[in-house]
């Protein structure tokens, strides 16, 4: 993940690192969940794990380290799955990367009313203006949020859009995993 550009905050950098990792795996992949841990704390408290993750260099202790979790179950609604997660205190934040089809706002008026979720998914998949997008969203316990969006047709590190409010629903669902 060494090609990730310098970012303004550790959360932005972690989200971009995850986006770069997911990009290296290619498209048409399942959702991936990551714990975000304080790198300096990880190095001090879990030196063996830090060494396994390549965090032995003193300069590599700033920021957040993403640690991929077990596979997100296929066929289970994402919001339902996220509702089952509770993080230990050592986890500073979490992030999720997921691929979806997206329509431009101009297509919203064309959506037929009364479609089931399955029929709506089929309609979007057949729409000529659909875009495939990979969304990586990260949140911290303190409420900070960051997102990275990458369109399949513009699959380049220089074409990744970032911002804290790009995928608010997913950010809220991830934040809820830290509530008691």
């Amino acid at each position: 993940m060494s090609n990730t550009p310098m970012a303004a905050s550790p959360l932005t950098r972690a989200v971009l690192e995850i986006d770069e990792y997911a990009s290296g795996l290619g498209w048409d992949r399942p959702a991936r969940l990551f714990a975000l841990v304080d790198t300096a704390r990880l190095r001090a408290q879990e030196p063996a794990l830090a060494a396994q993750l390549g965090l032995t260099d003193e300069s590599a202790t700033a920021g957040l380290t993403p640690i991929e979790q077990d596979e997100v179950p296929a066929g289970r609604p994402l919001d339902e799955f996220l509702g089952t997660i509770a993080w230990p205190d050592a986890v500073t934040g979490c992030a999720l990367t997921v691929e979806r089809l997206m329509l431009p706002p101009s297509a919203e008026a064309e959506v037929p009313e009364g479609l089931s979720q399955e029929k709506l998914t089929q309609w979007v998949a057949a729409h000529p203006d659909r875009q495939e997008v990979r969304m990586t969203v990260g949140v911290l316990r303190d409420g900070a949020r960051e997102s990275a969006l990458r369109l399949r047709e513009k699959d380049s590190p220089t074409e990744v859009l970032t911002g804290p409010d790009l995928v608010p629903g997913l950010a809220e669902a991830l934040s809820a995993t830290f509530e008691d």
Side-chain angles (χ1 to χ4, degrees):
M1 295 189 205
S2 60
N3 293 328
T4 301
M6 291 305 293
S9 76
L11 180 57
T12 301
R13 184 156 174 81
V15 166
L16 288 171
E17 286 178 7
I18 293 167
D19 172 75
E20 183 179 344
Y21 169 74
S23 176
L25 298 173
W27 286 86
D28 303 318
R29 299 292 183 167
R32 295 179 179 282
L33 181 67
F34 298 82
L36 300 176
V37 297
D38 180 272
T39 305
R41 184 175 174 188
L42 174 66
R43 191 165 181 262
Q45 294 179 350
E46 299 286 341
L49 178 57
Q52 184 180 352
L53 295 173
L55 302 173
T56 55
D57 181 10
E58 192 70 36
S59 65
T61 60
L64 299 168
T65 297
I67 300 176
E68 189 168 4
Q69 303 300 292
D70 291 335
E71 192 170 303
V72 175
R76 185 171 185 188
L78 194 55
D79 57 343
E80 185 181 296
F81 168 70
L82 291 175
T84 67
I85 295 173
W87 298 103
D89 291 340
V91 174
T92 303
C94 66
L96 182 84
T97 185
V98 63
E99 295 175 16
R100 292 290 185 256
L101 292 177
M102 181 176 80
L103 291 177
S106 61
E108 287 182 27
E110 301 173 26
V111 177
E113 290 191 34
L115 292 180
S116 68
Q117 187 64 38
E118 182 180 332
K119 292 288 186 188
L120 178 60
T121 300
Q122 292 171 355
W123 184 84
V124 170
H127 196 283
D129 295 331
R130 74 186 178 284
Q131 293 282 328
E132 291 178 76
V133 63
R134 180 182 302 117
M135 302 175 284
T136 304
V137 178
V139 300
L140 299 180
R141 284 184 187 272
D142 68 8
R145 298 174 173 192
E146 187 60 74
S147 305
L149 298 180
R150 182 187 291 247
L151 295 175
R152 189 171 190 158
E153 74 174 22
K154 295 183 178 184
D155 193 359
S156 164
T158 61
E159 296 287 339
V160 176
L161 179 64
T162 61
D165 300 317
L166 298 177
V167 193
L170 185 52
E172 289 171 23
L174 289 172
S175 292
T177 65
F178 290 103
E179 295 174 2
D180 293 330

